Amino acid sequence: MRSKRAGRCDDPSALPPGEGGTVTEGEKTSSSRRQFLRCAAFAAGGLCAAGLAAGGISRLGRATESVAGAIPAAPGPVSPLRMAKAKYWRPLANKRVQCLLCPKRCEVGDRERGFCGVRENREGVYYTLVYGSAAAARPDPIEKKPLFHFLPGSFAFSIATAGCNMNCRDCQNWDLSQARPEQVRSQHLLPAEVAKLALESRCGTIAYTYNEPTVFYEYVYDTAAEGHKRGVRSVIISSGYINQEPLRALLPRLDAVKVDLKGFTEEFYRRYCSGSLKPVLETIKTVHGSGKWLELVVLIVPGLNDSETAVRSMCKWIRQTVGADVPLHFSRFYPNYQLRNLPPTPYATLRRCQDIAKGLGLHFVYLGNVPEAPSQNTVCPGCGKTLVERRGYTVTAMALRKGSCSGCGRRIPGVWD
Ligand code: SF4
């Protein structure tokens, strides 16, 4: 049980991360650099959380309780080394602060945290508690993000922390996203070290992923700069639930953005994600307008966001707002987290979504989490030639010539080199 309700979020449906114990010093022990690089060499498989030898991510607490508003600080100490002054907040009276990073705009009292559970007010100053605190760090195929038109066949050094500014009832990574920093094992990896490890593990890209990068904004911001200094690119895998000012400040440091469009109604966002649709649509427009590479993913949940009307409206909006060339991935839902009562998305439903999208003129429509589907391949919209052939997360053939179709010469949008 929470001891008290603290702070206030603009979103009245806010569901905070779960309660749980704190980790002991022994449990906090970081994995060694050697362990880490060994993990990098065996990139296939599950998450490589820091402290992986001890069994990966700790599950000390699960988010099953819902309480509106911001949450009180956890009792255990957080290493000061992992704290940094937060960006985008303003002071209020009586040592309170308001976070301006995401649309929740939490108002947080002294010694309390915002909804995401990883930003804390101390004496009227707002801090991030996860700066340099990597709860997962490993190379992944870029196809796993998924980014299909961004350096296909390459690896992205993928890092995560605890926390999220939404609480999606179908979250696939809820162990991380709905945890506090004290509830996951993490490794202290400063931005320059992440960039160096990316290079050492032969990754040309750093991906901020698994949990929402918005909540570890400062870490992303500095790590992306360190990456660029070394020629390593940065991509965020995001829900897009971020305010415009921080987004615009971050974009020059990014090379690609994947946005999860959870559904296409405010009702869906409110009921199933503790968020809202409008800011996400603004994010998509801003990213597209910035010229950074953009891909969109929609997790199709049976009976919740798969109606023909919703899918059609979404595809129409995409076509009209960001154009036919932005890749759209329809991803299969598997029962998870708070929606274990629903069945996996039928393949026929995904095919129907794909048909709708293609019928409305979208050029690149993929199906995800469906290993048996041929729809992982990139096909030229001009002549129909298969340009990138994929099996699972592996690229098995490429027929692109300098970013153009080797059959008809049509330019294929993306970052290929
Ligand atoms: S980033 Fe966290 S603390 Fe800031 S407004 Fe969003 S949920 Fe609240």
Side-chain angles (χ1 to χ4, degrees):
M1 291 276 292
R2 290 178 203 293
S3 56
K4 61 177 179 174
R5 181 178 297 184
R8 182 179 72 78
C9 295
D10 275 3
D11 183 345
S13 63
L15 301 170
E19 294 286 343
T22 54
V23 291
T24 65
E25 282 308 308
E27 286 173 314
K28 281 183 189 168
T29 304
S30 296
S31 64
S32 70
R33 191 178 183 81
R34 189 175 302 131
Q35 280 175 317
F36 184 78
L37 288 171
R38 194 184 307 144
C39 168
F42 295 97
L47 274 179
C48 171
L52 68 165
I57 300 165
S58 167
R59 298 187 182 205
L60 292 172
R62 294 189 177 192
T64 52
E65 188 188 0
S66 61
V67 181
I71 57 175
V78 173
S79 165
L81 289 174
R82 299 180 189 192
M83 289 179 63
K85 198 168 165 188
K87 293 176 183 281
Y88 300 103
W89 59 276
R90 68 184 183 108
L92 301 173
N94 302 321
K95 291 188 182 173
R96 291 175 70 78
V97 300
Q98 182 174 34
C99 182
L100 303 174
L101 184 53
C102 93
K104 283 214 161 33
R105 295 177 184 271
C106 300
E107 289 184 15
V108 184
D110 187 17
R111 296 279 158 174
E112 294 174 352
R113 295 185 189 178
F115 172 91
C116 54
V118 299
R119 308 177 88 78
E120 185 170 311
N121 175 358
R122 294 199 179 181
E123 302 276 333
V125 179
Y126 211 36
Y127 291 92
T128 163
L129 304 180
V130 289
Y131 188 89
S133 192
R138 51 161 289 164
D140 272 340
I142 197 88
E143 277 73 20
K144 190 177 173 185
K145 302 301 140 197
L147 283 168
F148 275 18
H149 290 226
F150 187 86
L151 306 174
S154 70
F155 275 73
F157 193 79
S158 303
I159 65 168
T161 69
C164 187
N165 55 349
M166 292 172 125
N167 182 2
C168 300
R169 294 176 63 184
D170 54 6
C171 183
Q172 308 287 305
N173 289 326
W174 59 271
D175 306 61
L176 275 183
S177 71
Q178 303 306 315
R180 296 176 178 203
E182 299 90 335
Q183 293 174 307
V184 297
R185 292 176 182 165
S186 60
Q187 179 175 5
H188 196 201
L189 279 182
L190 287 171
E193 294 174 303
V194 175
K196 220 171 143 206
L197 284 168
L199 275 180
E200 285 174 10
S201 49
R202 298 185 182 178
C203 293
T205 306
I206 301 166
Y208 310 88
T209 182
Y210 302 132
N211 72 320
E212 173 53 45
T214 298
V215 305
F216 57 104
Y217 182 93
E218 297 80 5
Y219 193 21
V220 177
Y221 192 85
D222 290 351
T223 304
E226 291 293 339
H228 276 184
K229 275 187 209 165
R230 295 164 175 81
V232 180
R233 301 184 220 204
S234 275
V235 301
I236 58 168
I237 309 306
S238 173
S239 66
Y241 198 55
I242 182 171
N243 285 339
Q244 286 290 302
E245 190 185 346
L247 173 65
R248 289 177 194 277
L250 182 61
L251 277 169
R253 298 181 176 215
L254 300 179
D255 300 280
V257 178
K258 189 214 84 175
V259 176
D260 277 312
L261 193 49
K262 312 279 182 185
F264 209 65
T265 62
E266 288 292 351
E267 163 75 1
F268 184 85
Y269 266 82
R270 189 183 59 75
R271 277 190 72 181
Y272 295 103
C273 307
S274 307
S276 55
L277 171 64
K278 194 165 174 265
V280 178
L281 299 183
E282 289 304 310
T283 291
I284 292 170
K285 283 195 253 182
T286 301
V287 173
H288 182 68
S290 75
K292 301 296 176 176
W293 185 247
L294 169 70
E295 300 197 21
L296 302 173
V297 173
V298 186
L299 184 71
I300 296 292
V301 186
L304 299 187
N305 63 357
D306 61 346
S307 77
E308 175 154 355
T309 312
V311 174
R312 193 169 283 282
S313 318
M314 177 190 292
C315 294
K316 265 189 193 163
W317 183 89
I318 292 169
R319 178 80 171 84
Q320 286 165 3
T321 313
V322 295
D325 283 341
V326 170
L328 174 62
H329 305 250
F330 289 113
S331 197
R332 173 184 270 170
F333 160 86
Y334 285 99
N336 202 9
Y337 189 38
Q338 295 177 339
L339 291 180
R340 289 175 200 268
N341 55 322
L342 296 180
T345 317
Y347 182 46
T349 303
L350 295 166
R351 285 301 304 269
R352 181 172 52 78
C353 294
Q354 188 178 40
D355 288 345
I356 292 170
K358 286 192 166 174
L360 287 165
L362 298 188
H363 289 153
F364 304 101
V365 187
Y366 301 99
L367 302 186
N369 288 344
V370 194
E372 70 272 24
S375 308
Q376 304 285 312
N377 296 342
T378 299
V379 174
C380 175
C383 67
K385 185 178 173 77
T386 298
L387 301 175
V388 185
E389 200 175 288
R390 299 179 180 86
R391 197 161 294 162
Y393 298 135
T394 306
V395 171
T396 51
M398 287 270 279
L400 277 163
R401 299 281 178 269
K402 294 184 177 170
S404 297
C405 172
S406 57
C408 67
R410 180 180 173 129
R411 184 103 195 123
I412 306 298
V415 177
W416 307 109
D417 192 0

